[in-house]
Amino acid sequence: MRLREGLFILLTLLILIMAWLFISMSVHPRHSITLLQNFIGGAPPRREHVTTKTALYKCRMTKECPPDYYAFYIKSGAANVVNPNICFENKTLLSGPLGNAGSGMNIAVLNSLTGQLLNTGSFDMYSGDPAELLKFLKEIQAETLILAASGDDIGTKMNDEIRDIFTSFGSQFIKSVKFRDNWIFVGAPKIKSTSPFEQHLENNKETNKYDGWPEMLEMNGCIPRAF
Ligand SMILES: *[C@@H]1O[C@H](CO)[C@@H](O)[C@H](O)[C@H]1NC(C)=O
């Protein structure tokens, strides 16, 4: 008899649940499908949600930067076709569409304490006058961050004075940058050692992605306020 009673209770419960599902589905069809999925064993992952969330992080980052860090993204130019791009705290500071990026050395200077943009510059290092870049670099104040990216060529008019200044900002590779090499960099006048945010790719016939230029470089990360 025990078994029969148990079965009866189970059946009654099942009928009640079915009835509840049936009624709620006809009232709130979308809502109850979710409820049903949760009941059966978890709703399927909601792709839409994940995508929006990824796009929410600053400068194409896949995670949030800790407090007192700035999010950045830097892309070099690609051959003599695509202009470099510099993003800081989710704001594009330099790009082709903005009209302030181009062939040569592209630089953004920010106040390191506030993250405020102080200056940007794009200097033709193939047919331009390197004295203009030198003047720009010499005017940079102490409490700043420097984000830089090569476009097309930064090697032709590069000189030792320019290399020395970037080296004092924490660059390891600017010393060896030559014709059509790609280079991206984050540095600071007050940096204590070499910058962890630097990439250099040589123009090399054997390994070049493009005819005459290496593959474009890109990196992102979190820069400490006290860099
Ligand atoms: C970053 O910018 C993108 C595109 O402009 C925007 O969709 C996103 O909400 C922004 N994220 C943050 C954290 O500000």
Side-chain angles (χ1 to χ4, degrees), residues 80-124:
N80 57 350
V81 178
V82 179
N83 282 315
N85 185 301
I86 296 178
C87 170
F88 184 84
E89 284 291 282
N90 215 32
K91 252 187 85 179
T92 305
L93 305 181
L94 257 120
S95 75
L98 278 180
N100 58 358
S103 285
M105 183 66 86
N106 294 268
I107 310 178
V109 182
L110 298 119
N111 180 316
S112 57
L113 304 174
T114 63
Q116 190 200 348
L117 178 66
L118 300 174
N119 208 353
T120 66
S122 181
F123 303 90
D124 187 334

Side-chain angles (χ1 to χ4, degrees), residues 72-79 82-87 93-96 100-109 120-125 133 136-137 145-155 158 166 171 174 177 180-187 197-201 216-219:
F72 81 94
Y73 168 82
I74 303 180
K75 188 183 83 174
S76 75
V82 179
N83 282 315
N85 185 301
I86 296 178
C87 170
L93 305 181
L94 257 120
S95 75
N100 58 358
S103 285
M105 183 66 86
N106 294 268
I107 310 178
V109 182
T120 66
S122 181
F123 303 90
D124 187 334
M125 300 295 282
L133 173 58
F136 182 95
L137 293 174
L145 297 171
I146 286 89
L147 282 67
S150 65
D152 184 1
D153 170 45
I154 57 168
M158 180 65 69
F166 278 116
S171 168
I174 195 69
V177 165
R180 285 187 183 172
D181 285 2
N182 271 334
W183 180 71
I184 51 179
F185 172 67
V186 178
F197 305 118
E198 181 175 26
Q199 288 182 22
H200 174 211
L201 192 60
M216 142 199 130
L217 289 175
E218 59 182 337
M219 67 174 165

Side-chain angles (χ1 to χ4, degrees), residues 1-226:
M1 281 306 128
R2 274 264 159 113
L3 190 66
R4 275 192 131 186
E5 274 168 32
L7 268 175
F8 178 75
I9 291 169
L10 219 101
L11 257 168
T12 316
L13 267 174
L14 255 174
I15 289 166
L16 277 172
I17 289 169
M18 299 274 274
W20 170 76
L21 275 174
F22 180 77
I23 292 164
S24 57
M25 261 184 172
S26 46
V27 181
H28 306 288
R30 298 196 88 201
H31 181 59
S32 30
I33 285 169
T34 317
L35 278 178
L36 184 63
Q37 281 166 339
N38 286 341
F39 185 74
I40 294 168
R46 289 163 70 187
R47 281 182 130 242
E48 208 185 330
H49 186 65
V50 174
T51 332
T52 353
K53 215 168 175 193
T54 313
L56 275 177
Y57 296 108
K58 294 169 181 171
C59 296
R60 310 178 196 200
M61 293 285 292
T62 51
K63 61 178 173 66
E64 205 159 343
C65 287
D68 290 325
Y69 283 74
Y70 301 115
F72 81 94
Y73 168 82
I74 303 180
K75 188 183 83 174
S76 75
N80 57 350
V81 178
V82 179
N83 282 315
N85 185 301
I86 296 178
C87 170
F88 184 84
E89 284 291 282
N90 215 32
K91 252 187 85 179
T92 305
L93 305 181
L94 257 120
S95 75
L98 278 180
N100 58 358
S103 285
M105 183 66 86
N106 294 268
I107 310 178
V109 182
L110 298 119
N111 180 316
S112 57
L113 304 174
T114 63
Q116 190 200 348
L117 178 66
L118 300 174
N119 208 353
T120 66
S122 181
F123 303 90
D124 187 334
M125 300 295 282
Y126 182 79
S127 47
D129 181 358
E132 287 173 29
L133 173 58
L134 209 49
K135 182 170 177 284
F136 182 95
L137 293 174
K138 284 179 174 172
E139 282 168 3
I140 291 175
Q141 304 287 305
E143 297 287 356
T144 53
L145 297 171
I146 286 89
L147 282 67
S150 65
D152 184 1
D153 170 45
I154 57 168
T156 302
K157 296 278 179 81
M158 180 65 69
N159 60 40
D160 285 347
E161 222 178 337
I162 294 170
R163 291 186 206 272
D164 285 348
I165 295 177
F166 278 116
T167 305
S168 76
F169 294 166
S171 168
Q172 302 177 66
F173 307 130
I174 195 69
K175 277 182 179 150
S176 50
V177 165
K178 51 176 183 40
F179 178 62
R180 285 187 183 172
D181 285 2
N182 271 334
W183 180 71
I184 51 179
F185 172 67
V186 178
K190 292 185 93 177
I191 200 163
K192 282 152 211 94
S193 58
T194 53
S195 171
F197 305 118
E198 181 175 26
Q199 288 182 22
H200 174 211
L201 192 60
E202 279 189 275
N203 167 22
N204 179 335
K205 261 187 211 138
E206 309 298 317
T207 54
N208 276 352
K209 167 152 181 178
Y210 307 109
D211 194 24
W213 287 268
E215 168 72 301
M216 142 199 130
L217 289 175
E218 59 182 337
M219 67 174 165
N220 62 8
C222 304
I223 313 165
R225 218 165 277 240

